[in-house]
Amino acid sequence: MTDAAGSDNQLFDKIVNLSKRRGFVFQSADIYGGFRSTYDYGPLGVLLLRNVKEQWWRSMVQLRHDVVGLDASVLSPPQVWQASGHLANFSDPLVDCVSCNARHRLDKLDDPNVCPTCGATGSFTEAREFNLMFKTHAGPVMETAAEVYLRPETAQGMFINFSNVLVTSRKRPPFGIAQIGKSFRNEITPGNFVFRTREFEQMEMEYFVPPEESQHWYEYWCQQRMDWYLDLGMPSDQLRLRAHDDDELSHYSSGTSDVEFLFPWGWDELEGVANRGDFDLRQHAEHSGERLDYFDQATGERYVPHVIEPAAGATRAAMAFLMAAYAEEEVNDEVRTVLRLDPRLAPYKVAVLPLSKKDTLTPTAMQVFDLLKGQWMTDYDETQSIGKRYARQDEIGTPYCVTVDFDTLEDASVTVRNRDTREQDRVAIAGLLAYLEPRLR
Ligand code: ATP
């Protein structure tokens, strides 16, 4: 990674720069000076993010008979968070530096005695537990009874809908409920671009299993989730599974592993896979008074399923895929930047480029665009020289460029250029869909 793209710090700056310059990610409220730690996904970023989420949904829901989807609300009443333990425990230790007033999260400091902002030693206040949930009010009255919370994770939606889904989907353990959606955490130290933000998107699945099978399914999901990233092109030397030490585990978890990516600042979490036991269903059953268990008619046994939870960040994963894909290489004494994104993740799959802006080529180029657009996100660009346009498409990861030239008017064929090899094939327009289809899968 670093050989091609410079040092790790340079890579980070290049990704931030590319994101802004090419329209992947913008600082939110930019025209008002920017709202710290929130970001807007631009024309290319929204496509990349949608593709990451689509690939997750495809592998977790579409290709499986044992997982169904859900889209639960973002606002929920305090009872949910009381039962889940978030009101009491979802906090991080906050310290203030009395020397420079900077605030830090104690558990994320390299040295708990040294302020990374001003370098002062022993300048921190006692740690205070700071709850990360955003609280607001439902309805016009700002009274305690009207307090509601923005969800800090999507997972509770699956637990509180366990019975609804069980009854309506007629699934039986082992089965899962999957959800993609926004979550909100009032992070003490957001940072590293979109890695840690106060508003972000998660992709979570709760897999309900017979208690005696939980270890098997925990190992199964750790492997599945590693394979998902590898299959989408993450280099194996930049991805690892790290089992939590005993002192990192939550009291109810009998096993948690993080899928970690080698970010420019070191190994860090992309996703957590946890064996949560029966903690969540028991808590909600107790607090709601509803029965949250499963009656197995075959054995006549009633039990509370255990839960395996693969919990990933969509925005964080999109950024990691960008970093893993970024490369610079020398071609004819010039440096070319190329995003080697898997075609399934690339914002545009194809770009149609008429060789010249002459009107004579435009109608045919538009016909080619119309042919492709129903199948794939297709870009159309007739500005600047063809070399510059290839470079622009390489930089945003478009796997194929289709060039319409003057010969096209004679032979009804186009030139298809491969992003990674830069090799070109002459392909009949009539056979273009069939040519691209297996290459973009
Ligand atoms: P951390 O220890 O980094 O605060 P966490 O272990 O609390 O994170 P989880 O609760 O396991 O995170 O959330 C699951 C996933 O959601 C994380 O692996 C990450 O990809 C994503 N995520 C969590 N918090 C954020 C955030 N503030 N910004 C972006 N993504 C996040």
Side-chain angles (χ1 to χ4, degrees), residues 172-330:
R172 44 177 309 193
F175 83 100
I177 311 177
Q179 177 170 207
I180 298 175
K182 287 240 168 150
S183 293
F184 303 82
R185 296 182 189 180
N186 200 359
E187 298 278 2
I188 297 169
T189 43
N192 284 336
F193 196 37
V194 299
F195 178 83
R196 188 181 303 287
T197 49
R198 296 200 168 109
E199 175 179 343
F200 54 98
E201 252 180 310
Q202 290 188 304
M203 311 184 287
E204 297 193 292
M205 198 270 286
E206 309 304 320
Y207 199 69
F208 301 94
V209 304
E212 65 279 8
E213 294 177 17
S214 69
Q215 182 61 23
H216 160 75
W217 288 112
Y218 168 62
E219 287 165 21
Y220 169 88
W221 281 110
C222 285
Q223 190 59 49
Q224 286 286 312
R225 297 306 306 146
M226 283 292 284
D227 290 348
W228 183 79
Y229 292 98
L230 294 170
D231 178 53
L232 286 171
M234 285 248 167
S236 55
D237 59 352
Q238 282 175 256
L239 196 72
R240 74 177 186 191
L241 189 69
R242 186 185 67 81
H244 280 204
D245 297 332
D246 286 348
D247 61 352
E248 281 179 276
L249 289 178
S250 356
H251 62 94
Y252 49 79
S253 175
S254 57
T256 299
S257 293
D258 288 345
V259 177
E260 294 187 334
F261 175 72
L262 189 54
F263 284 96
W265 56 91
W267 290 101
D268 218 332
E269 177 179 334
L270 276 182
E271 165 161 2
V273 183
N275 183 346
R276 301 179 62 89
D278 60 7
F279 174 77
D280 308 276
L281 289 181
R282 278 199 191 281
Q283 285 291 108
H284 284 297
E286 191 180 306
H287 283 75
S288 67
E290 294 286 323
R291 193 166 213 168
L292 299 178
D293 55 18
Y294 176 72
F295 178 67
D296 188 340
Q297 283 179 333
T299 62
E301 194 195 348
R302 185 176 284 285
Y303 64 86
V304 179
H306 283 207
V307 172
I308 312 301
E309 175 191 80
T315 36
R316 207 178 263 191
M319 176 184 175
F321 280 119
L322 264 188
M323 288 179 163
Y326 187 93
E328 290 174 1
E329 59 183 32
E330 229 177 86

Side-chain angles (χ1 to χ4, degrees), residues 86-95 104-108 126-133 185-190 196-197 316:
H86 282 79
L87 273 178
N89 302 321
F90 195 58
S91 56
D92 283 333
L94 167 73
V95 288
H104 294 286
R105 198 172 135 180
L106 184 62
D107 60 326
K108 293 283 175 187
E126 282 287 300
R128 288 176 285 145
E129 285 300 320
F130 175 75
N131 194 293
L132 301 182
M133 281 199 295
R185 296 182 189 180
N186 200 359
E187 298 278 2
I188 297 169
T189 43
R196 188 181 303 287
T197 49
R316 207 178 263 191

Side-chain angles (χ1 to χ4, degrees), residues 11-200:
L11 173 68
F12 182 73
D13 291 344
K14 282 172 180 174
I15 293 293
V16 175
N17 182 292
L18 176 82
S19 295
K20 179 162 187 181
R21 190 163 42 80
R22 297 306 313 274
F24 280 92
V25 181
F26 305 123
Q27 178 76 61
S28 128
D30 214 359
I31 61 168
Y32 293 102
F35 182 45
R36 192 173 162 235
S37 127
T38 51
Y39 293 91
D40 298 340
Y41 288 76
L44 296 178
V46 68
L47 295 176
L48 173 64
L49 193 54
R50 281 173 67 114
N51 292 340
V52 169
K53 291 185 284 185
E54 174 55 30
Q55 287 306 316
W56 185 87
W57 190 266
R58 185 178 158 76
S59 108
M60 301 297 273
V61 182
Q62 186 183 335
L63 297 182
R64 304 189 64 99
H65 64 86
D66 56 347
V67 179
V68 291
L70 182 76
D71 193 350
S73 68
V74 165
L75 289 177
S76 37
Q79 291 94 310
V80 172
W81 307 109
Q82 212 130 39
S84 69
H86 282 79
L87 273 178
N89 302 321
F90 195 58
S91 56
D92 283 333
L94 167 73
V95 288
D96 292 291
C97 171
V98 293
S99 178
C100 71
N101 294 327
R103 295 206 149 133
H104 294 286
R105 198 172 135 180
L106 184 62
D107 60 326
K108 293 283 175 187
L109 291 175
D110 289 335
D111 181 336
N113 290 311
V114 179
C115 173
T117 308
C118 69
T121 305
S123 62
F124 287 135
T125 54
E126 282 287 300
R128 288 176 285 145
E129 285 300 320
F130 175 75
N131 194 293
L132 301 182
M133 281 199 295
F134 279 101
K135 185 160 57 174
T136 185
H137 294 84
V141 190
M142 301 279 268
E143 59 186 16
T144 314
E147 280 175 1
V148 293
Y149 291 88
L150 269 62
R151 65 180 177 197
E153 60 174 35
T154 61
Q156 297 306 319
M158 278 76 103
F159 298 128
I160 61 179
N161 279 291
F162 172 76
S163 285
N164 287 338
V165 174
L166 191 68
V167 170
T168 54
S169 70
R170 306 179 61 80
K171 296 283 174 205
R172 44 177 309 193
F175 83 100
I177 311 177
Q179 177 170 207
I180 298 175
K182 287 240 168 150
S183 293
F184 303 82
R185 296 182 189 180
N186 200 359
E187 298 278 2
I188 297 169
T189 43
N192 284 336
F193 196 37
V194 299
F195 178 83
R196 188 181 303 287
T197 49
R198 296 200 168 109
E199 175 179 343
F200 54 98

